[in-house]
């Protein structure tokens, strides 16, 4: 039954024809009425999950799993699930709402044209918008339905294009206080050609990389912080270049990183800091 929903093979079609066919099949979904996102914050582990830059630590109720199919597309090729999630994230992060929630802080205006990466698993979706000024990222469950929930984060870049090493995590959300299904978004340097989540129990999940951004979603409710899951980066030759704990906040990094002027901008103060790496765009797609 589900086979009839699969898109036809289009590699032999002219690009314009393929795009038109995809648009006809996927269609367009009218944005649902705005709802206030219903967040359930894991208070006991807020320090564990919170990102130093101010990104929200969010826990959502796990839905019944009717499918494990993964969709990962760019801004010009969104499924209805991803379109709804992108629309909802834009509403949650409108400049007007940012002004109300964070008076005095610089808003980060984003539009659909700024969508850097989007991925979905069942009715769960993760979207990340990035500009030269900052970012907005959201995880959304059941967008446009009565049980819609989720959360996100938005902030100007604290140190511009400089990252704490090859990877910078922007949002981490989990279905349990110490693990469960997780959604992670962030950005990477140009050295990163592959990024995976090592669950610490023999399982791994590959991230989607697109133009210096990444999105990662798991459906392994067995993932636990006690297993010390790690984000692992690889270069173009397949060599591991970085490994860091998934649940470690940016300001708790054991390594420290310095900006171009030699001053520490990330991590704990130590005597041996590494140079921060510059955010870089790649056309590599994975996951």
């Amino acid at each position: 039954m589900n086979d009839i929903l699969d898109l036809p093979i289009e590699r032999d079609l002219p690009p314009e024809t393929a795009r038109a066919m995809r648009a006809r099949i996927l269609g367009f979904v009218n944005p649902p009425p705005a709802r206030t996102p219903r967040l359930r914050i894991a208070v006991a582990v807020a320090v564990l999950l919170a990102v130093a830059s101010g990104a929200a630590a969010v826990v959502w109720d796990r839905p019944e799993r009717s499918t494990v199919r993964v969709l990962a597309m760019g801004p010009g090729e969104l499924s209805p699930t991803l379109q709804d999630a992108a629309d909802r994230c834009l509403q949650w992060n409108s400049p007007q709402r940012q002004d109300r929630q964070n008076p005095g802080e610089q808003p980060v205006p984003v539009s659909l044209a700024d969508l850097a990466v989007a991925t979905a698993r069942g009715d769960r979706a993760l979207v990340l918008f990035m500009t030269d000024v900052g970012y907005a990222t959201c995880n959304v469950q059941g967008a446009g339905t009565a049980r819609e929930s989720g959360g996100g984060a938005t902030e100007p870049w604290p140190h511009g294009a400089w990252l704490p090493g090859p990877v910078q995590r922007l949002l981490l959300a989990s279905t349990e206080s110490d693990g469960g299904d997780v959604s992670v978004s962030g950005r990477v340097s140009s050295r990163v050609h592959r990024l995976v989540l090592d669950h610490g129990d023999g399982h791994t999940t590959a991230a989607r990389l697109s133009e210096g951004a990444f999105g990662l979603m798991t459906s392994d409710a067995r993932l636990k912080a006690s297993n010390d899951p790690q984000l692992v980066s690889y270069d173009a030759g397949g060599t591991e270049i970085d490994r860091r704990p998934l649940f470690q906040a940016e300001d708790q990094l054991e390594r420290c990183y310095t900006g171009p002027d030699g001053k520490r901008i990330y991590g704990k103060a130590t005597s041996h800091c590494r140079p921060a790496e510059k955010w870089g765009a790649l056309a590599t797609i994975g996951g």
Side-chain angles (χ1 to χ4, degrees), residues 163-191:
L163 315 180
V167 177
Q168 182 175 39
R169 195 192 71 196
L170 299 175
L171 178 70
L172 168 63
S174 65
T175 56
E176 304 294 340
S177 61
D178 63 345
D181 299 337
V182 301
S183 298
V184 193
S185 63
R187 56 179 182 165
V188 297
S189 75
S190 59
R191 287 204 299 152

Short mmCIF file of all heavy atoms in Angstrom, two decimals, residues 163-191:
data_model
loop_
_atom_site.label_atom_id
_atom_site.label_comp_id
_atom_site.label_asym_id
_atom_site.label_seq_id
_atom_site.Cartn_x
_atom_site.Cartn_y
_atom_site.Cartn_z
N LEU A 163 34.07 28.03 15.04
CA LEU A 163 33.46 26.89 15.73
C LEU A 163 34.41 26.31 16.77
O LEU A 163 35.63 26.43 16.65
CB LEU A 163 33.12 25.78 14.73
CG LEU A 163 32.45 26.15 13.41
CD1 LEU A 163 32.21 24.89 12.59
CD2 LEU A 163 31.15 26.88 13.66
N PRO A 164 33.85 25.62 17.78
CA PRO A 164 34.69 24.92 18.75
C PRO A 164 35.19 23.59 18.17
O PRO A 164 34.71 22.51 18.52
CB PRO A 164 33.74 24.69 19.93
CG PRO A 164 32.40 24.59 19.28
CD PRO A 164 32.42 25.55 18.12
N GLY A 165 36.14 23.69 17.25
CA GLY A 165 36.62 22.51 16.55
C GLY A 165 35.81 22.26 15.29
O GLY A 165 35.19 23.16 14.74
N PRO A 166 35.75 21.01 14.83
CA PRO A 166 35.06 20.71 13.58
C PRO A 166 33.54 20.78 13.66
O PRO A 166 32.87 20.90 12.64
CB PRO A 166 35.50 19.26 13.26
CG PRO A 166 36.68 19.00 14.13
CD PRO A 166 36.47 19.83 15.35
N VAL A 167 32.97 20.70 14.88
CA VAL A 167 31.52 20.58 15.04
C VAL A 167 31.01 21.56 16.09
O VAL A 167 31.65 21.75 17.13
CB VAL A 167 31.13 19.14 15.47
CG1 VAL A 167 29.63 19.04 15.71
CG2 VAL A 167 31.57 18.14 14.43
N GLN A 168 29.86 22.18 15.82
CA GLN A 168 29.17 22.98 16.82
C GLN A 168 27.73 22.54 16.89
O GLN A 168 26.98 22.64 15.92
CB GLN A 168 29.24 24.47 16.48
CG GLN A 168 28.57 25.34 17.55
CD GLN A 168 28.72 26.82 17.28
OE1 GLN A 168 28.64 27.26 16.13
NE2 GLN A 168 28.96 27.60 18.33
N ARG A 169 27.33 22.04 18.06
CA ARG A 169 25.95 21.61 18.27
C ARG A 169 25.11 22.82 18.61
O ARG A 169 25.47 23.62 19.48
CB ARG A 169 25.91 20.59 19.40
CG ARG A 169 24.62 19.80 19.51
CD ARG A 169 24.58 19.05 20.82
NE ARG A 169 24.38 19.95 21.94
CZ ARG A 169 24.61 19.61 23.21
NH1 ARG A 169 25.10 18.44 23.51
NH2 ARG A 169 24.38 20.49 24.18
N LEU A 170 23.95 22.97 17.97
CA LEU A 170 23.07 24.11 18.21
C LEU A 170 21.82 23.72 18.97
O LEU A 170 21.30 24.50 19.75
CB LEU A 170 22.69 24.77 16.88
CG LEU A 170 23.87 25.32 16.06
CD1 LEU A 170 23.38 25.84 14.71
CD2 LEU A 170 24.60 26.42 16.83
N LEU A 171 21.29 22.52 18.73
CA LEU A 171 20.08 22.08 19.43
C LEU A 171 20.19 20.59 19.71
O LEU A 171 20.58 19.81 18.84
CB LEU A 171 18.84 22.35 18.58
CG LEU A 171 17.51 21.88 19.18
CD1 LEU A 171 17.13 22.73 20.38
CD2 LEU A 171 16.38 21.92 18.15
N LEU A 172 19.84 20.21 20.91
CA LEU A 172 19.73 18.81 21.29
C LEU A 172 18.40 18.61 21.97
O LEU A 172 18.09 19.30 22.96
CB LEU A 172 20.86 18.41 22.24
CG LEU A 172 20.72 17.05 22.93
CD1 LEU A 172 20.72 15.91 21.91
CD2 LEU A 172 21.82 16.84 23.96
N ALA A 173 17.57 17.71 21.45
CA ALA A 173 16.28 17.40 22.06
C ALA A 173 16.20 15.89 22.21
O ALA A 173 16.70 15.14 21.39
CB ALA A 173 15.13 17.89 21.18
N SER A 174 15.56 15.44 23.30
CA SER A 174 15.46 14.01 23.55
C SER A 174 14.10 13.66 24.12
O SER A 174 13.43 14.50 24.75
CB SER A 174 16.56 13.55 24.52
OG SER A 174 16.39 14.14 25.80
N THR A 175 13.69 12.42 23.91
CA THR A 175 12.38 11.97 24.39
C THR A 175 12.43 11.55 25.85
O THR A 175 11.38 11.38 26.48
CB THR A 175 11.86 10.81 23.55
OG1 THR A 175 12.83 9.75 23.55
CG2 THR A 175 11.58 11.25 22.12
N GLU A 176 13.60 11.33 26.38
CA GLU A 176 13.77 10.97 27.79
C GLU A 176 14.79 11.92 28.41
O GLU A 176 15.60 12.52 27.71
CB GLU A 176 14.25 9.52 27.92
CG GLU A 176 13.37 8.48 27.25
CD GLU A 176 11.99 8.36 27.89
OE1 GLU A 176 11.86 8.79 29.07
OE2 GLU A 176 11.07 7.87 27.24
N SER A 177 14.77 12.02 29.73
CA SER A 177 15.67 12.94 30.41
C SER A 177 17.13 12.55 30.23
O SER A 177 18.02 13.40 30.30
CB SER A 177 15.33 13.01 31.90
OG SER A 177 15.48 11.73 32.51
N ASP A 178 17.37 11.26 29.98
CA ASP A 178 18.76 10.80 29.85
C ASP A 178 19.01 10.08 28.53
O ASP A 178 19.91 9.26 28.42
CB ASP A 178 19.14 9.89 31.01
CG ASP A 178 18.29 8.61 31.05
OD1 ASP A 178 17.25 8.57 30.35
OD2 ASP A 178 18.67 7.66 31.75
N GLY A 179 18.21 10.38 27.51
CA GLY A 179 18.42 9.73 26.22
C GLY A 179 17.14 9.52 25.45
O GLY A 179 16.38 10.46 25.23
N GLY A 180 16.90 8.26 25.05
CA GLY A 180 15.75 7.97 24.21
C GLY A 180 16.03 8.36 22.77
O GLY A 180 17.17 8.39 22.32
N ASP A 181 14.97 8.69 22.03
CA ASP A 181 15.15 9.23 20.68
C ASP A 181 15.72 10.64 20.79
O ASP A 181 15.26 11.42 21.63
CB ASP A 181 13.82 9.29 19.93
CG ASP A 181 13.19 7.91 19.76
OD1 ASP A 181 13.93 6.92 19.80
OD2 ASP A 181 11.96 7.85 19.58
N VAL A 182 16.69 10.97 19.96
CA VAL A 182 17.26 12.31 20.02
C VAL A 182 17.23 12.97 18.66
O VAL A 182 17.22 12.31 17.62
CB VAL A 182 18.72 12.30 20.54
CG1 VAL A 182 18.80 11.71 21.93
CG2 VAL A 182 19.65 11.56 19.59
N SER A 183 17.21 14.30 18.67
CA SER A 183 17.34 15.12 17.47
C SER A 183 18.44 16.15 17.75
O SER A 183 18.43 16.79 18.79
CB SER A 183 16.03 15.84 17.15
OG SER A 183 14.99 14.92 16.88
N VAL A 184 19.36 16.28 16.80
CA VAL A 184 20.50 17.17 16.99
C VAL A 184 20.71 17.96 15.71
O VAL A 184 20.68 17.41 14.61
CB VAL A 184 21.81 16.40 17.30
CG1 VAL A 184 22.89 17.34 17.79
CG2 VAL A 184 21.57 15.27 18.29
N SER A 185 20.92 19.26 15.84
CA SER A 185 21.26 20.09 14.69
C SER A 185 22.49 20.92 15.02
O SER A 185 22.80 21.16 16.19
CB SER A 185 20.09 21.01 14.29
OG SER A 185 19.79 21.92 15.33
N GLY A 186 23.20 21.36 13.98
CA GLY A 186 24.39 22.17 14.22
C GLY A 186 25.09 22.50 12.92
O GLY A 186 24.53 22.38 11.84
N ARG A 187 26.34 22.93 13.04
CA ARG A 187 27.13 23.28 11.86
C ARG A 187 28.53 22.69 11.99
O ARG A 187 28.98 22.35 13.10
CB ARG A 187 27.19 24.79 11.64
CG ARG A 187 27.71 25.60 12.81
CD ARG A 187 27.75 27.09 12.49
NE ARG A 187 28.30 27.86 13.60
CZ ARG A 187 28.72 29.12 13.50
NH1 ARG A 187 28.63 29.75 12.33
NH2 ARG A 187 29.20 29.76 14.55
N VAL A 188 29.22 22.57 10.86
CA VAL A 188 30.52 21.91 10.82
C VAL A 188 31.51 22.75 10.00
O VAL A 188 31.12 23.61 9.21
CB VAL A 188 30.42 20.50 10.22
CG1 VAL A 188 29.55 19.60 11.07
CG2 VAL A 188 29.90 20.55 8.78
N SER A 189 32.79 22.45 10.18
CA SER A 189 33.82 23.08 9.38
C SER A 189 33.97 22.32 8.06
O SER A 189 33.44 21.21 7.89
CB SER A 189 35.15 23.10 10.13
OG SER A 189 35.74 21.81 10.13
N SER A 190 34.73 22.89 7.15
CA SER A 190 34.90 22.26 5.83
C SER A 190 35.71 20.97 5.91
O SER A 190 35.74 20.22 4.94
CB SER A 190 35.58 23.24 4.87
OG SER A 190 36.85 23.64 5.37
N ARG A 191 36.35 20.69 7.04
CA ARG A 191 37.09 19.43 7.17
C ARG A 191 36.17 18.23 7.30
O ARG A 191 36.58 17.08 7.05
CB ARG A 191 38.00 19.48 8.40
CG ARG A 191 39.20 20.36 8.27
CD ARG A 191 40.30 19.90 9.22
NE ARG A 191 39.91 19.94 10.62
CZ ARG A 191 40.41 19.13 11.55
NH1 ARG A 191 41.29 18.19 11.22
NH2 ARG A 191 40.02 19.26 12.81
#
